[in-house]
Amino acid sequence: MTSYFINIWMAMAFIIAVQPLAGQGSSAQKKVLLLMGSRFEITAVAEDDTIAWEAINAGIAEIQRIEKIISSWDPQSQTSEINRQAGLMPVAVDRELYDLIFRAKKISQLTDGAFDISFASMDRVWRFDGSMTQLPTQEEVAAAKEKINWQDIILDTDQHTVFLKEKGMKIGFGAIGKGYAANRAKFVMEKIGGINGGVVNASGDLITWGKSNRPEGWTVKIADPKEKDKLLGWLPVKDNAIVTSGDYERYIEFDGKRYAHIIDPRTGYPTTGIKSVTIVCPDAELADALATSVFVLGKEKGLKLINQLNGIECLFVTDDDDIITSENLKLNYK
Ligand code: ADP
Ligand code: MG
C-alpha cells in the first residue's frame, strides 16, 4: 500500500462495498472509469437497475461536459482561451465558468489567498509528472510567483468576461474541479426519478446522498497513519461530501525532501508540514477547495479556519503522523 489514508486509489477500498440487501429490492449499480484524468466511481441505488444505469450515464455525461469547459490541457476549452488572452483582453465565457471563478475568488478571500486558482503560472517551474530533473532556481520561482494573484482575475458581471490582468498569468481548477464535478453529477443523478441514493467518488473526493443499501449507511473508513493496515476509525458520510487532499502518488523528491503538488502562493514553493487533509461538509466543491487551503495554511491557521466555519469539519495528518481533528468531528472508533 502506498498510502494509508483515505485518498485517491485507496479511497475506493475505504467505502464499504455496496451490495444489495436481501429482500429489499433495492440494488446498487456501479461504474468505474477515467474522467478528468482521475479515477471516478459512480454508484446509484434504485429499485430498478435500468433507472440506476440511466442515472450513472447522466452523471458521466455531466462530468464530461464540465471537463470540456474547465480543462487547462484542452486548447479548445474556455479556460485555455482565458489563459491565452492573459494580459491581452477579457474573454466572454459561459455563466457556469464565470460563476465557478467567482466562487473560487471568494475562497481566496476567505483563506487570505492560500487558495488561488492563479497558482497555475507555477507550472512553468514545478512539474509533478516526473519530468523534473532538478529544483528550479530561486529566481525562476520568484519570477513565476509574481504572476499569482487572485485579485488580478478581473470579472465583469455585465459582460460575463474574465480577464487575467498580467501577461503570463494562468488559472487552473486542479483544486476545485473534481469537487464541482462531483456536486453536479450528484445533482443530475438525483433529478432522475427513482434513485434512492448514490455516491460520486472522484479519486477519493466523494459525495454521498440518500440511502445506501447497507444498514450502516454510507461510511468511510480511516486507516491509522502509524500502522497502515490498522483501522483508526470511521466516519458516517450521509448526505455529505468527504474530500481528501494529499495525493501521495504525486510529489517530487530532491535530496530526500518531499515536495507536495500544492503550491503556497505566498512563497511559490510546494507546501510542507502536512501529509493529508480531509474535509467533511455537504458541498464537495467547497470541501475540495478547503482541503487544498488547509494544506497551504498549515496546522494552526488551517484548524482555526475550519473551526470557525459552521457545518464543516476536518481531519488532517501531519508530517509526523499526528492526527488533528476539528472541534466537532466525530470519528467513530467501533
Ligand atoms: P488532490 O489532487 O490530492 O485531491 P487538491 O484537491 O488539493 O489535491 O488539488 C491539488 C491541485 O490543486 C494541484 O495539483 C494543482 O492543480 C492545484 N493547486 C496547487 N496549489 C494550489 C493553490 N494554492 N490554490 C489552488 N489550487 C492549487
Ligand atoms: Mg482540493
Side-chain angles (χ1 to χ4, degrees):
M1 277 202 280
T2 50
S3 63
Y4 47 75
F5 197 64
I6 352 158
N7 100 60
I8 54 169
W9 308 105
M10 288 305 300
M12 273 34 89
F14 282 112
I15 300 263
I16 287 177
V18 191
Q19 288 159 4
L21 263 189
Q24 279 209 343
S26 189
S27 75
Q29 302 299 321
K30 178 166 78 177
K31 171 104 180 165
V32 179
L33 79 169
L34 199 70
L35 295 164
M36 307 176 85
S38 299
R39 183 186 196 269
F40 271 71
E41 187 180 288
I42 302 175
T43 304
V45 180
E47 322 267 301
D48 180 336
D49 291 353
T50 322
I51 291 179
W53 282 108
E54 195 187 325
I56 289 170
N57 289 328
I60 293 170
E62 180 64 3
I63 296 162
Q64 288 168 333
R65 188 187 67 75
I66 291 166
E67 187 177 7
K68 283 212 176 84
I69 303 171
I70 68 172
S71 164
S72 337
W73 294 281
D74 177 359
Q76 308 290 343
S77 75
Q78 293 187 353
T79 301
S80 295
E81 183 60 9
I82 295 171
N83 288 337
R84 267 192 299 272
Q85 299 302 339
L88 299 173
M89 63 170 141
V91 176
V93 299
D94 289 354
R95 178 67 199 241
E96 181 178 14
L97 181 58
Y98 182 93
D99 289 346
L100 179 65
I101 297 172
F102 181 86
R103 294 194 300 274
K105 284 187 69 177
K106 282 268 171 237
I107 295 166
S108 297
Q109 203 173 13
L110 176 74
T111 61
D112 221 357
F115 179 87
D116 190 332
I117 54 171
S118 71
F119 83 94
S121 61
M122 296 307 299
D123 66 6
R124 276 184 217 103
V125 292
W126 299 108
R127 289 183 309 278
F128 299 94
D129 56 2
S131 68
M132 279 181 83
T133 51
Q134 59 186 55
L135 281 179
T137 63
Q138 286 185 356
E139 291 72 29
E140 286 167 333
V141 172
K145 196 196 81 163
E146 282 291 293
K147 308 292 175 188
I148 308 180
N149 186 357
W150 61 275
Q151 293 180 78
D152 283 345
I153 305 170
I154 312 294
L155 297 178
D156 182 321
T157 343
D158 299 329
Q159 310 290 326
H160 275 152
T161 58
V162 183
F163 179 44
L164 307 183
K165 221 165 127 190
E166 301 292 333
K167 259 203 154 130
M169 273 183 82
K170 198 172 169 187
I171 55 169
F173 298 102
I176 191 171
K178 274 187 290 174
Y180 174 58
N183 273 352
R184 287 290 318 174
K186 173 198 165 204
F187 177 78
V188 298
M189 289 174 76
E190 269 189 310
K191 269 211 322 214
I192 292 177
I195 298 295
N196 299 331
V199 184
V200 179
N201 183 350
S203 296
D205 292 359
L206 62 98
I207 188 158
T208 74
W209 73 95
K211 277 194 199 137
S212 155
N213 48 0
R214 305 273 299 194
E216 63 273 39
W218 305 115
T219 58
V220 169
K221 291 178 182 172
I222 295 173
D224 187 338
K226 292 205 167 97
E227 275 178 88
K228 311 183 180 193
D229 295 330
K230 268 204 182 154
L231 185 66
L232 179 77
W234 59 276
L235 286 170
V237 284
K238 187 174 158 39
D239 297 325
N240 253 333
I242 176 160
V243 169
T244 300
S245 271
D247 183 338
Y248 291 178
E249 327 268 305
R250 269 196 306 158
Y251 64 89
I252 46 176
E253 217 173 65
F254 286 108
D255 300 330
K257 202 170 169 214
R258 207 176 151 114
Y259 295 85
H261 66 132
I262 295 173
I263 306 288
D264 185 337
R266 297 163 297 190
T267 62
Y269 280 86
T271 58
T272 51
I274 296 182
K275 272 188 182 166
S276 78
V277 177
T278 300
I279 301 277
V280 187
C281 80
D283 185 291
E285 176 188 313
L286 184 62
D288 194 0
L290 287 177
T292 310
S293 309
V294 169
F295 239 97
V296 176
L297 289 169
K299 260 190 275 189
E300 285 84 19
K301 283 189 181 156
L303 190 64
K304 195 170 162 214
L305 173 71
I306 298 301
N307 279 332
Q308 278 169 357
L309 300 171
N310 245 335
I312 303 179
E313 300 305 327
C314 74
L315 178 151
F316 57 92
V317 180
T318 67
D319 275 349
D320 307 324
D321 284 342
D322 287 331
I323 292 183
I324 299 178
T325 58
S326 57
E327 278 159 15
N328 296 316
L329 188 93
K330 286 185 204 80
L331 190 61
N332 296 286
Y333 293 96
K334 198 70 209 132

